[in-house]
Amino acid sequence: MRIATSALQRSVVQAVQSNLQRIARAQAQIATEKRIQTVSDDPVAASEVMADNQELRATDQYRRNLSTVSTRADLEESVLSQLTFLIERAQELATAQASGTASPATRLVAKAEVDRIIEQVVQLGNTKLGREYIFGGFQTDAAPFAATGVYSGTGDVRNLEIGRGQLTLANNNGKTIFADSGVVAGLTALRDGLEAGTGDAVRLAMPVLGTSFDAVQSLIGDVGGRMNQLESVSGSLDALSMSVGIHKSAREGVDLSTSTTELLAAQTALQAALLSASRVLNVSLAQYLT
């Protein structure tokens, strides 16, 4: 009587395929050090890992924005510090040339120096970071200040997200720093007063210079506060990244010793399945020949 072996053959083939899959899965886990290779391995954990990955990508973007803001804040602080020096020098000139010991001749000499100061202020207003004029508002590809000190940029500012729903100013625009502060107006008034050649004309510019000095110091304080905020946010992002990374690792990480044991077990089972397959094939051949 011929014994049917098709069911046995299917069982052996399935055992071989199953163990090959176990080996492939264990090898992938060892190679990647990740327990989850596909969503079907653990749908709940896979969903959490995807959420963690999204959070980490967002954190990386926040870091890039933070770096941009930090660079711009450093540059703005440097410009404001130079403005402070230039305004202080202009005030010294105004005080000296408003006195009774000054003359039209000395005031013309002082005017030449103020002209140079105005040129330096315009250069500061046209500061570039890479290819961008950073004080032009949304106008970044053209110098925002003319040689006369007239501002042609926009009144906009760039805000960047450095945390979930947390926006911060990248830097002030030129209108705020140089025009609204009274810096350009004060220096222009001083230049015109010196050109007029009288002490009274020079004295008219002094209150404007004082106001512009105070405005610049206020802006320096604002930048300092912004930089403190950035430092605090940077620490928070570090803590968040670590926390999310630990959670992600716990959900998808693999115990290498467990995976190695599983690999060895699957290899042993595969060898047994292959041995069974060879025996089944021999029986089938013998039946075929009888």
Side-chain angles (χ1 to χ4, degrees), residues 125-195:
N126 291 331
T127 295
K128 296 181 73 174
L129 180 60
R131 297 182 178 181
E132 292 188 354
Y133 291 92
I134 70 167
F135 296 127
F138 287 167
Q139 176 184 299
T140 61
D141 57 352
F145 283 95
T148 58
V150 175
Y151 181 69
S152 61
T154 72
D156 306 290
V157 292
R158 179 183 300 182
N159 291 302
L160 293 177
E161 189 174 16
I162 57 175
R164 190 179 300 279
Q166 186 176 7
L167 297 176
T168 191
L169 177 69
N171 62 268
N172 285 295
N173 57 47
K175 181 176 181 293
T176 298
I177 297 176
F178 299 90
D180 294 347
S181 65
V183 172
V184 174
L187 292 173
T188 300
L190 177 58
R191 179 200 63 195
D192 294 344
L194 291 169
E195 188 172 28

Side-chain angles (χ1 to χ4, degrees), residues 30-164:
I30 293 172
T32 63
E33 297 187 4
K34 293 181 180 179
R35 179 175 62 87
I36 302 173
Q37 299 299 316
T38 64
V39 174
S40 60
D41 290 339
D42 189 335
V44 174
S47 177
E48 293 181 9
V49 168
M50 286 188 287
D52 288 339
N53 285 333
Q54 184 177 4
E55 185 69 34
L56 290 173
R57 286 193 295 271
T59 302
D60 288 341
Q61 182 59 57
Y62 296 149
R63 288 184 184 282
R64 288 190 289 271
N65 290 348
L66 192 68
S67 176
T68 298
V69 173
S70 296
T71 299
R72 287 174 174 263
D74 287 340
L75 188 52
E76 182 178 356
E77 183 181 47
S78 175
V79 167
L80 290 170
S81 296
Q82 294 177 69
L83 270 183
T84 296
F85 172 78
L86 294 174
I87 295 171
E88 287 177 334
R89 179 54 184 161
Q91 288 177 313
E92 292 174 0
L93 291 172
T95 299
Q97 299 306 315
S99 67
T101 59
S103 67
T106 61
R107 289 172 183 134
L108 283 178
V109 174
K111 174 188 174 297
E113 184 174 350
V114 172
D115 285 336
R116 303 292 82 75
I117 291 175
I118 292 175
E119 289 177 1
Q120 293 177 67
V121 168
V122 168
Q123 290 175 0
L124 290 174
N126 291 331
T127 295
K128 296 181 73 174
L129 180 60
R131 297 182 178 181
E132 292 188 354
Y133 291 92
I134 70 167
F135 296 127
F138 287 167
Q139 176 184 299
T140 61
D141 57 352
F145 283 95
T148 58
V150 175
Y151 181 69
S152 61
T154 72
D156 306 290
V157 292
R158 179 183 300 182
N159 291 302
L160 293 177
E161 189 174 16
I162 57 175
R164 190 179 300 279

